[in-house]
Amino acid sequence: MELPKEIVERVNQLEEKYSSMGQSLESYLDGLLLSNYLTYWDYTQVDTLLTLQNPKTDFPDELIFIIYHQITELYFKLSLHEFNQIANNGRHIKPNGHDLGWKNSLDVKFFTERVVRINRYFEALTKSFDIMVDGMEREQFLRYRMALLPASGFQSAQYRMIEISATDFFNLVDKDVRPQFEGKQASIEEMFPFIYWNKGATELATGKKTLTLEQFEKKYSEKFMALANEYKTKNLWAKYKALSQQDQQNPQLINALKELDVNVNVNWPLMHYKSAVRYLNQGQDDVPATGGTNWQKYLPPRFQKRIFYPELWSAEEKENWGKGWVETNVFRTR
Ligand code: HEM
């Protein structure tokens, strides 16, 4: 039987692919003959996925809390996937990767589209955050959370990796300490002890680092510093500044970057803050958070003033960062 030309072409291509790596196409074809058909459940690993929800108590609403955190982490993973491609000029670097002949340059269209994707993921998260704010019984939440001490979303490593991938590390230094590093070209190791999030993990009573932070540092500090060093020249802002002058003026790209700044540093944090207010705020005597922190002073973006792209905002916009939205969106519904 004569094989169709398209098949012969593919076989030749496969021969080339395997022989270039010193592999035998014949053996791989044997593997193909023996391998099973792919199913939805194997591909998506749905059975494994559905074993990953293990509440610590029997309160039914705890399942919502776990699953929504997991959904968030998956969107964070997608966001990091886009950051990774921008950082690596359109390639997603994988150690066992097979070269698809994919691009190795960063044009403004690709750059913008990837930033828009990250915006979409964060918008999906912000819009769905009502699942947390309104979707659980407060009485149940206040009971089952006691079984989760001292764990906190504060310990989400991907959230910090997104920040490190998005901006110059300097912008993540606590805003009160930042002037001391201004124009100094300080190393990541010098700046890391002053990272903004330490402020959110100080014990109200003693001013000491919380256990939540100590455990987080033990597990991730090295990794964060390594990533920050790697991303010195590959973070989103560095990649933007490496574009031509003309591309840097691209209005769609500038808009996408500004939206990213607001999505990650204002909109998501405010929706998240709204959930803390809903469950933990009791007028004068707030319920302490599981991480035992000063969350009321720490979480609102107007206090943190975390801004990834300060050069893209006017002095007034920076001054009013995160204000306004709070009054209308967080407290109006209470
Ligand atoms: C009822 C829902 C929630 C409440 C009441 C809540 C409460 C809090 C509080 C009080 C903090 C401050 C640190 C601490 O004392 O623990 C915090 C931090 C944090 N939480 Fe949540 N949280 C909720 C849901 C979530 C979800 C679904 C995520 C998704 C991963 C998340 C991620 C974070 C992150 C990333 C921080 C650190 C924020 C920063 O450093 O600016 N939280 N949360």
Side-chain angles (χ1 to χ4, degrees):
M1 184 190 81
E2 191 152 318
L3 289 172
K5 161 166 134 291
E6 295 77 18
I7 301 289
V8 174
E9 214 172 90
R10 299 297 190 287
V11 172
N12 285 335
Q13 284 171 352
L14 282 170
E15 173 63 33
E16 211 173 289
K17 169 180 171 179
Y18 288 109
S19 64
S20 74
M21 301 302 281
Q23 304 288 297
S24 140
L25 171 61
E26 214 177 312
S27 307
Y28 280 87
L29 287 176
D30 282 346
L32 199 55
L33 278 172
L34 293 170
S35 63
N36 288 326
Y37 290 104
L38 187 64
T39 57
Y40 170 81
W41 51 91
D42 280 338
Y43 184 61
T44 58
Q45 303 227 27
V46 65
D47 293 332
T48 307
L49 182 66
L50 299 180
T51 63
L52 299 176
Q53 294 73 39
N54 298 300
K56 296 283 173 241
T57 71
D58 288 336
F59 290 102
D61 285 6
E62 194 192 336
L63 185 66
I64 307 169
F65 194 60
I66 295 187
I67 291 187
Y68 191 76
H69 276 82
Q70 292 180 334
I71 290 169
T72 305
E73 290 292 343
L74 289 175
Y75 273 113
F76 286 172
K77 183 168 180 174
L78 280 176
S79 302
L80 285 167
H81 186 61
E82 309 300 346
F83 278 115
N84 182 309
Q85 290 175 70
I86 296 170
N88 295 301
N89 297 335
R91 286 166 179 241
H92 181 67
I93 302 294
K94 266 189 176 176
N96 62 346
H98 150 61
D99 189 352
L100 294 172
W102 218 244
K103 59 196 281 147
N104 189 12
S105 64
L106 191 60
D107 59 64
V108 71
K109 180 169 173 287
F110 182 92
F111 197 143
T112 310
E113 277 171 1
R114 287 333 180 255
V115 180
V116 168
R117 286 184 189 182
I118 304 170
N119 282 328
R120 230 177 258 129
Y121 304 143
F122 267 84
E123 279 156 22
L125 285 174
T126 304
K127 279 193 200 122
S128 63
F129 215 91
D130 278 344
I131 293 170
M132 288 288 93
V133 179
D134 296 321
M136 299 180 294
E137 277 180 20
R138 185 168 186 266
E139 293 66 29
Q140 286 192 43
F141 176 83
L142 292 177
R143 298 284 300 282
Y144 71 70
R145 64 190 282 279
M146 301 319 288
L148 315 181
L149 294 166
S152 166
F154 179 91
Q155 295 172 319
S156 164
Q158 291 201 105
Y159 186 78
R160 310 305 180 190
M161 288 163 72
I162 287 173
E163 299 177 312
I164 292 169
S165 311
T167 184
D168 277 343
F169 197 78
F170 172 78
N171 293 320
L172 301 178
V173 169
D174 177 356
K175 70 174 192 318
D176 299 328
V177 185
R178 229 176 280 156
Q180 138 190 346
F181 289 112
E182 191 93 55
K184 291 243 170 73
Q185 304 297 321
S187 69
I188 301 293
E189 288 69 20
E190 283 169 305
M191 290 188 281
F192 194 76
F194 303 100
I195 191 88
Y196 82 88
W197 65 67
N198 286 349
K199 265 214 177 136
T202 315
E203 256 162 27
L204 275 179
T206 59
K208 270 177 44 192
K209 275 183 189 179
T210 59
L211 180 58
T212 309
L213 176 60
E214 277 181 9
Q215 293 188 325
F216 187 54
E217 286 185 336
K218 207 151 98 193
K219 183 156 168 67
Y220 291 119
S221 287
E222 292 289 318
K223 195 175 169 199
F224 290 153
M225 280 191 269
L227 184 74
N229 274 310
E230 186 194 338
Y231 269 66
K232 259 182 179 171
T233 53
K234 299 205 305 194
N235 69 70
L236 217 63
W237 183 248
K239 294 305 269 187
Y240 169 77
K241 293 302 273 184
L243 293 173
S244 69
Q245 279 300 327
Q246 193 191 346
D247 283 347
Q248 286 183 42
Q249 302 305 316
N250 183 289
Q252 280 86 19
L253 178 56
I254 292 177
N255 205 33
L257 288 172
K258 289 174 87 169
E259 274 181 24
L260 181 69
D261 218 347
V262 172
N263 278 330
V264 181
N265 292 323
V266 181
N267 293 346
W268 187 87
L270 280 170
M271 278 307 283
H272 171 259
Y273 176 58
K274 194 173 168 182
S275 69
V277 170
R278 150 98 158 86
Y279 293 98
L280 306 176
N281 194 324
Q282 287 186 325
Q284 290 297 321
D285 303 312
D286 285 340
V287 182
T290 50
T293 62
N294 46 353
W295 60 271
Q296 307 88 330
K297 295 268 159 10
Y298 170 70
L299 289 179
R302 70 184 189 285
F303 296 145
Q304 284 193 359
K305 278 230 166 109
R306 216 162 61 218
I307 306 180
F308 289 157
Y309 312 119
E311 283 184 41
L312 299 183
W313 300 100
S314 70
E316 197 191 342
E317 285 166 331
K318 282 184 277 198
E319 182 57 35
N320 291 315
W321 195 251
K323 290 183 189 160
W325 201 102
V326 184
E327 288 75 27
T328 47
N329 290 281
V330 178
F331 293 105
R332 188 188 52 190
T333 51
R334 296 192 69 243

